[in-house]
Amino acid sequence: MSQSKVTQQHIADALNLSRNTVSKALNNDPDMRDDTKRRIMKKAVELGYTKFHQFEAAEGISSTNRIVSLLTHSDYMGNHYWSSFIKGLNTTLKEAGYSLAMTIIDMEEEREQKLPSLFVQQRPAGVIMIGPFLREYYELIERLGIASMFIDTYADFNFGMLGSDIMLVDNAHSVYALTQQLIARGHKKIGFVGDIGSCLSYRERWEGFNRALSEARLSVNESWCIINSMKRHYFNEEELSAAYSRMEDKPTAFVCVNDNIAVDFMQIVKASDMRVPEDISITGFDNIAESVLVHPAITTVHVPKEELGMRAGEQIVWRIDHPHRPKELIRIGVEVEWRDSVHSLI
C-alpha cells in the first residue's frame, strides 16, 4: 500500500478498531492507554502512514526509524549457531515491522570505541550485540540511550551492573546437571576445558562444573583442566594439544565449554592413542551440527538457537516501546543430549 493512499480508516480496519480510536491515538489523546497508542502507532508505521505530528513529537518515535542494528565480529559470520539465531531474530523483527542491519566490528574499532557509521547516518531504534566484546564497548553502547540487548556479555559482569537487557541460556545448571551425571556414572577424575575469561556464559559453565564436584565432595584438580582467564583468548588446537600432552595423569572425562572445543579435543585424545569414550569421555555444549557428525557423537547441551533469536527479537521490540521499564535478565532453557562420547565406569 503506498503512503499517499494510507488513511486512518486503513489503520482502523487492520486493527479492527474504530476510526475515532485511531485518530485519538495518533493525536496523542492523554485519556488513551499507552499500550493501545503504541499498537496503533506500530500498525500505522507498518502500513506507511506518515502524518503523526503530536504523537511523534511527544513519544520521540520516528516513522522512518525502523532499524535494529546487530553488532558482531567477523568470526561469527557463517557460524551455524549464529546463522540460526539470526534467522529467528530476523523473522520476529520483520513481523514487527523492523529491518535488521548487521555490522561487523573489528578489533581496532572495539579497542578505540568507535561506533559503526550506521549510527551516524541513521540512529537505530535498537541494538543487539552477539559474541563477546570488551566491557568498555558494552558500556559505550549503553551510554547512547538506545534500546539495547546483549546476547551474553563480559566474564566479570555482575548483575548489579545491569544497564541493558541481557539474554543467556541456562549455563550453570545445565553443566552442573551434566557433571552430576558423569559422577553418577562412576567418573571421579573430571577435567574442564575452555576459556572461562572470554564471556559470562563460559564462566557460568565453569561455576556449574565446580558446584557439581563440590557437592559430590570431589576437589577440582586444575592439573586436569585446560582453562584461561584472559579476556580475549580462545584456545586453538595447538594450545589444547600441548596442554593435554603435559598432563601426566589423565582424567577419565572432560567437560568442554562448547562443541567446537569438544570436537577438536576429541581428535587430540584419539591422536594420543586413547579411546573415546572407553578411556576418556568428552562432553560439549551448544549442539552444533558437528557434534553429531563426528564419531562418536558428542554428548552436549542443546541450545534452541532459532528460538533464542526469536526471543531476542521480541525483547528488543518490547524494549523500544518501553525504554524506561527496569532492565531484564532473560534465561532460555536448554537440555542435555546424551550420546556415545560418554562411557559409564560402573
Side-chain angles (χ1 to χ4, degrees), residues 30-31 47 75 91 120 162 193 228-229 235 237 257 284 296 306 308 336:
D31 295 327
L47 294 177
D75 52 348
T91 296
V120 177
L162 196 63
V193 185
N228 193 310
S229 297
F235 283 118
E237 193 169 350
V257 78
E306 188 169 343
L308 186 72
V336 178

Side-chain angles (χ1 to χ4, degrees), residues 266-324:
M266 178 183 289
Q267 304 312 314
I268 291 166
V269 169
K270 288 181 176 181
S272 71
D273 294 328
M274 300 286 276
R275 299 170 299 168
V276 178
E278 293 84 356
D279 299 318
I280 295 178
S281 294
I282 293 176
T283 70
F285 200 107
D286 291 334
N287 194 22
I288 63 173
E290 290 81 357
S291 68
V292 182
L293 297 176
V294 295
H295 180 75
I298 294 174
T299 292
T300 187
V301 176
H302 172 68
V303 176
K305 305 159 195 65
E306 188 169 343
E307 289 84 355
L308 186 72
M310 294 170 69
R311 182 65 186 89
E314 293 168 352
Q315 183 64 19
I316 196 66
V317 169
W318 183 89
R319 177 56 64 193
I320 292 167
D321 290 344
H322 302 85
H324 303 300

Side-chain angles (χ1 to χ4, degrees), residues 18-38:
S18 71
R19 181 185 175 282
N20 186 50
T21 299
V22 171
S23 178
K24 287 181 177 180
L26 296 178
N27 285 284
N28 199 24
D29 188 323
D31 295 327
M32 180 170 285
R33 287 175 42 163
D34 286 343
D35 58 343
T36 302
K37 289 182 190 177
R38 289 189 175 278

Side-chain angles (χ1 to χ4, degrees), residues 11 95 105 142 216 252 256 262 338:
I11 302 166
E95 290 175 353
I105 305 297
E142 288 178 341
T252 61
C256 297
W338 290 97

Side-chain angles (χ1 to χ4, degrees), residues 23 39 46 52-53 59 167 169 186 188 191 201 208 210 222 250 265 270 293 303 332 336 342:
S23 178
R39 186 161 67 96
E46 180 183 322
F52 296 106
H53 304 303
E59 298 295 325
M167 182 177 290
V169 302
K188 308 300 181 186
S201 287
N210 277 260
E222 292 204 5
K250 304 287 196 294
F265 203 68
K270 288 181 176 181
L293 297 176
V303 176
I332 303 298
V336 178
V342 170

Side-chain angles (χ1 to χ4, degrees), residues 36-329:
T36 302
K37 289 182 190 177
R38 289 189 175 278
R39 186 161 67 96
I40 292 170
M41 174 67 173
K42 290 172 71 173
K43 179 56 68 174
V45 170
E46 180 183 322
L47 294 177
Y49 187 82
T50 59
K51 300 177 182 179
F52 296 106
H53 304 303
Q54 295 179 26
F55 187 83
E56 182 176 5
E59 298 295 325
I61 297 174
S62 169
S63 60
T64 60
N65 185 8
R66 306 293 290 178
I67 296 173
V68 171
S69 177
L70 179 68
L71 305 185
T72 187
H73 295 115
S74 60
D75 52 348
Y76 281 76
M77 300 301 295
N79 180 307
H80 176 70
Y81 183 107
W82 291 112
S83 62
S84 296
F85 170 90
I86 292 168
K87 178 182 178 183
L89 173 63
N90 192 51
T91 296
T92 300
L93 291 179
K94 285 180 68 175
E95 290 175 353
Y98 286 87
S99 297
L100 183 63
M102 188 179 304
T103 303
I104 304 301
I105 305 297
D106 63 35
M107 297 299 183
E108 183 179 353
E109 290 172 324
E110 186 178 352
R111 284 193 299 269
E112 296 180 0
Q113 297 194 58
K114 290 184 177 179
L115 291 171
S117 58
L118 169 67
F119 285 59
V120 177
Q121 297 165 2
Q122 182 177 10
R123 181 182 173 95
V127 180
I128 296 176
M129 294 171 64
I130 60 174
F133 284 76
L134 295 173
R135 172 177 175 173
E136 294 78 10
Y137 207 83
Y138 289 110
E139 293 172 343
L140 171 66
I141 297 300
E142 288 178 341
R143 288 196 299 271
L144 296 174
I146 300 173
S148 57
M149 182 172 197
F150 305 151
I151 312 302
D152 207 351
T153 189
Y154 54 92
D156 55 351
F157 173 86
N158 71 67
F159 297 106
M161 300 175 175
L162 196 63
S164 292
D165 295 328
I166 294 178
M167 182 177 290
L168 297 158
V169 302
D170 180 9
N171 295 296
H173 185 265
S174 59
V175 173
Y176 163 80
L178 185 153
T179 307
Q180 269 192 326
Q181 281 298 309
L182 288 175
I183 295 168
R185 296 178 189 209
H187 293 277
K188 308 300 181 186
K189 299 166 60 176
I190 310 174
F192 188 94
V193 185
D195 293 282
I196 60 176
S198 64
C199 62
L200 180 57
S201 287
Y202 291 0
R203 192 193 82 189
E204 289 185 338
R205 293 170 199 177
W206 168 245
E207 290 170 351
F209 171 79
N210 277 260
R211 178 185 162 204
L213 291 182
S214 176
E215 290 188 5
R217 300 183 182 277
L218 296 173
S219 298
V220 175
N221 187 336
E222 292 204 5
S223 69
W224 296 335
C225 298
I226 305 174
I227 56 176
N228 193 310
S229 297
M230 295 172 62
K231 289 184 179 180
R232 296 306 302 265
H233 183 273
Y234 299 95
F235 283 118
N236 58 43
E237 193 169 350
E238 291 75 18
E239 290 174 310
L240 293 173
S241 181
Y244 174 76
S245 66
R246 288 193 296 268
M247 292 183 189
E248 295 182 3
D249 179 28
K250 304 287 196 294
T252 61
F254 284 99
V255 174
C256 297
V257 78
N258 63 31
D259 288 343
N260 286 320
I261 291 285
V263 168
D264 287 344
F265 203 68
M266 178 183 289
Q267 304 312 314
I268 291 166
V269 169
K270 288 181 176 181
S272 71
D273 294 328
M274 300 286 276
R275 299 170 299 168
V276 178
E278 293 84 356
D279 299 318
I280 295 178
S281 294
I282 293 176
T283 70
F285 200 107
D286 291 334
N287 194 22
I288 63 173
E290 290 81 357
S291 68
V292 182
L293 297 176
V294 295
H295 180 75
I298 294 174
T299 292
T300 187
V301 176
H302 172 68
V303 176
K305 305 159 195 65
E306 188 169 343
E307 289 84 355
L308 186 72
M310 294 170 69
R311 182 65 186 89
E314 293 168 352
Q315 183 64 19
I316 196 66
V317 169
W318 183 89
R319 177 56 64 193
I320 292 167
D321 290 344
H322 302 85
H324 303 300
R325 296 282 287 274
K327 301 303 185 288
E328 299 183 6
L329 170 68

